[in-house]
Amino acid sequence: MASHLDDGDEHIGDAGSGGREVSGSLRVLTVSGSLRARSSNGAVLDAVAALLPPHVHVTRYDALADLPAFNPDLDGEGATPPPAVAHWRAAIADADAVIICSPEYAHGVPGSLKNALDWLVSGPDVPGLPIAVVNATTRAHHAHESLIETLRTMSATVVEAASVRLPLAPSQRTAEAILADPPIAAMLTVGLAALLAAVQARK
């Protein structure tokens, strides 16, 4: 199975960097709701990057922890948003589609991810944007459904066929282990095809 993890992926991890626009390609932004350096959510996103076709440029956003707590006073008319917020919004604006993989904490969406979405509510970039919500377990359905509800309230196009809950085993914490499981790899492949079809339908 071909992978372009090492030659096509980009990580956004500081406010001084940004996404690269690649001519003739689709741009997919992946976001993990976990702040852990190594998590099953990150492994799923690495597997996703390996499964996407070569014409899709994948950017991983890794700076949720840099975003300040949402404060409307910092985001009023004429206000200059904090640099980390401007960076996050630019990453969303540059994406043709977004894939979010998030854990569930206390039956809810992690605060850092919800905070990031709050900074996007008043902006123009989420409405109509194709988004896939992927979950690394079938057991945590509260946050999965809550996240989808939030995104729909923000007028995003949540692609249901691409929003899958994966039955990962505790040992499947690397992209390699996920890709080596044919049923799970097939679930991701089918979902990604649906997401890319939604992107093409929007263009």
Side-chain angles (χ1 to χ4, degrees):
M1 179 177 297
S3 167
H4 57 288
L5 279 168
D6 294 327
D7 61 14
D9 291 356
E10 179 180 359
H11 286 247
I12 298 178
D14 62 80
S17 63
R20 296 173 296 179
E21 184 170 339
V22 181
S23 177
S25 69
L26 298 179
R27 299 178 298 277
V28 171
L29 183 72
T30 63
V31 181
S32 172
S34 173
L35 299 184
R36 299 178 65 182
R38 297 179 64 86
S39 71
S40 56
N41 301 278
V44 167
L45 294 179
D46 286 342
V48 161
L51 289 169
L52 283 166
H55 74 281
V56 178
H57 180 74
V58 184
T59 300
R60 172 87 165 267
Y61 185 84
D62 285 329
L64 289 184
D66 295 338
L67 294 169
F70 176 66
N71 182 351
D73 289 342
L74 300 178
D75 204 34
E77 185 175 350
T80 300
V85 173
H87 167 58
W88 165 234
R89 289 174 171 171
I92 292 292
D94 192 51
D96 294 306
V98 175
I99 301 170
I100 301 174
C101 188
S102 176
E104 174 175 297
Y105 294 150
H107 284 186
V109 176
S112 55
L113 178 58
K114 181 59 169 63
N115 180 59
L117 296 177
D118 287 344
W119 280 110
L120 301 176
V121 168
S122 63
D125 300 309
V126 173
L129 181 66
I131 299 181
V133 177
V134 181
N135 199 306
T137 177
T138 58
R139 298 187 302 275
H141 60 90
H142 298 280
H144 185 79
E145 294 167 1
S146 175
L147 180 54
I148 288 174
E149 175 63 20
T150 295
L151 292 168
R152 284 178 173 158
T153 301
M154 295 169 66
S155 298
T157 299
V158 178
V159 183
E160 290 189 16
S163 298
V164 296
R165 290 190 290 154
L166 305 173
L168 294 188
S171 59
Q172 291 176 305
R173 290 186 171 272
T174 66
E176 292 75 18
I178 293 169
L179 294 171
D181 187 317
I184 290 178
M187 289 179 67
L188 287 173
T189 299
V190 171
L192 293 173
L195 180 66
L196 296 183
V199 172
Q200 294 292 355
R202 190 188 186 205
K203 285 185 174 290

